[in-house]
Each structure stands twice: as structure tokens, then as C-alpha cells.
Amino acid sequence: MWYVNGNNLQMAEGDFGIRLPVTINGTEIGVEDSLKFTFKAKKNGTVLLEKIYGNVVDNTVELEFTEEQSNRFGVGTYVYSLDWYRDGSFLCNIIENAILKAGDKA
């Protein structure tokens, strides 16, 4: 289950297949644009996962981890960023170094 507090996210260790709608407000994301989530072990740390979403509809994408992707996040705290691209070129950073916490499900 996803929990959201501002830009900070929390999930239980091992959660997968649950969709979290992420809506961008204040601008218009075009159909030719893409959004890239980058999850790291820590700020300026090793990239654990990148997820790129194209075909953005109504400024919304659905963040979802597969089982394999979820297994990259043991109990702990991680950081993530969300970047906006158009035709493969970086436009701007929408979320910078927000927290993803994987909680102990036991």
C-alpha cells in the first residue's frame, strides 16, 4: 500500500503491483513528453531504479513497481527525483530528492 505525505512516499517492504496516480499541477505535460522517476539509495548515491513514463494523459502517470523492482528496496529510507523530458531532452526537475520509505511489513 502506498502512503503519500506531500512529495514523500511510503510503502511496505515487498509491495508491488499497486498503482499510485501521480498528477503534475501548474503546467501542461504534452503527449510527446515523458516523466522519469529516479530512485537512489541516498542523495547523490547509486541509482537503484529508473522508471520512464510516456503517453502522459491528463498530466497523470501511475507509478507502479513490479515484484523485481520492489525487491530493490529493503526496509529503509531512499530518495527519488522526478524529471520532465520533451523529445528526449531534459526540461526541468519537478521533484528533487524526496523521500521513499520502505517500512517493515512484519
Side-chain angles (χ1 to χ4, degrees):
M1 176 62 83
W2 289 106
Y3 297 98
V4 179
N5 182 6
N7 289 332
N8 296 324
L9 307 175
Q10 183 173 342
M11 62 181 238
E13 174 190 25
D15 279 357
F16 71 96
I18 301 166
R19 294 180 179 166
L20 174 66
V22 176
T23 301
I24 308 305
N25 296 311
T27 191
E28 186 68 32
I29 308 293
V31 295
E32 71 281 1
D33 298 347
S34 61
L35 298 173
K36 179 171 84 170
F37 290 85
T38 302
F39 296 90
K40 296 181 179 182
K42 62 182 180 179
K43 184 176 178 179
N44 299 318
T46 303
V47 174
L48 299 173
L49 177 65
E50 289 184 335
K51 293 194 63 85
I52 300 172
Y53 294 90
N55 301 317
V56 179
V57 176
D58 296 328
N59 276 18
T60 302
V61 296
E62 292 189 344
L63 178 62
E64 179 181 12
F65 291 160
T66 65
E67 183 175 13
E68 185 274 329
Q69 292 168 339
S70 182
N71 287 337
R72 298 179 191 186
F73 302 97
V75 173
T77 302
Y78 305 88
V79 297
Y80 80 94
S81 297
L82 176 60
D83 295 327
W84 180 11
Y85 290 82
R86 178 167 292 148
D87 296 325
S89 296
F90 176 79
L91 288 180
C92 74
N93 178 256
I94 296 172
I95 298 174
E96 179 182 7
N97 296 316
I99 299 296
L100 168 66
K101 183 176 180 182
D104 189 349
K105 64 183 173 186

